Amino acid sequence: GEDVEQSLFLSVREGDSSVINCTYTDSSSTYLYWYKQEPGAGLQLLTYIFSNMDMKQDQRLTVLLNKKDKHLSLRIADTQTGDSAIYFCAEKITGGGNKLTFGTGTQLKVEL
Amino acid sequence: ETGVTQTPRHLVMGMTNKKSLKCEQHLGHNAMYWYKQSAKKPLELMFVYNFKEQTENNSVPSRFSPECPNSSHLFLHLHTLQPEDSALYLCASSQEGNYGYTFGSGTRLTVV
């Protein structure tokens, strides 16, 4: 079955890079996503990667995909206090229609 | 404004009350979803609607009753809830393709 896991918590200093990791079990992923949730708000799509890519860069965000190890990561360069939030990875699988399976979320805390 | 609007933002209800949550999207999406987000627990998919038809019900108790009168509107009718039903209820919509979901800001429900 589908299972997407993330570490629960990450703390970094402002200006450092943050790396949030995600592992998944279903090898038939087509797209993988990163969402950000700020306190009291819904989830906001940050970026996504097609499963035949291994890297995607979008300004301060870099997504790395290791399909062999079923490992996805999100690197945030020059992390700012406004990046403090919960980050969710999600996968869409072949034959799953539009359905996404979400990870447990990683709480990122940025300290001054 | 994300394109998906949820009302009310906050709701406090007694265990014998009946209330409804509303979700509206004008993005032209054909699928809509209800998720429950409780503290320290993963996102729980509750219901999925595709083209107004319910396609998934993840063993949700009957005290939660969804309604999808058209592709733009989704309701969650609540009655005789329990305190453990207190959570953030998130609505999302999607379209075929790689764009993932668009989420609303959620309704923070407290059952007293």
Side-chain angles (χ1 to χ4, degrees), chain A residues 10 14 23 75 79 83 89:
Chain A
L10 176 66
E14 189 178 38
T23 57
R75 178 176 180 270
T79 313
D83 295 323
C89 63

Side-chain angles (χ1 to χ4, degrees), chain A residues 31 33 35 37 40-45 48 86 88 92 97-104, chain B residues 9 31 33 35 37 42-43 45 56 88 90 94-101 103-105:
Chain A
Y31 292 95
Y33 304 83
Y35 282 83
Q37 184 181 30
L43 280 68
Q44 174 195 359
L45 178 65
Y48 66 91
I86 302 175
F88 292 89
K92 179 184 285 191
N98 286 344
K99 184 179 169 185
L100 299 186
T101 300
F102 285 87
T104 48
Chain B
R9 290 296 308 274
Y33 312 81
Y35 278 87
Q37 187 178 32
L43 278 170
L45 177 63
E56 194 157 337
L88 181 67
L90 291 164
S94 72
Q95 185 68 305
E96 281 293 338
N98 60 332
Y99 302 109
Y101 294 176
F103 279 86
S105 299

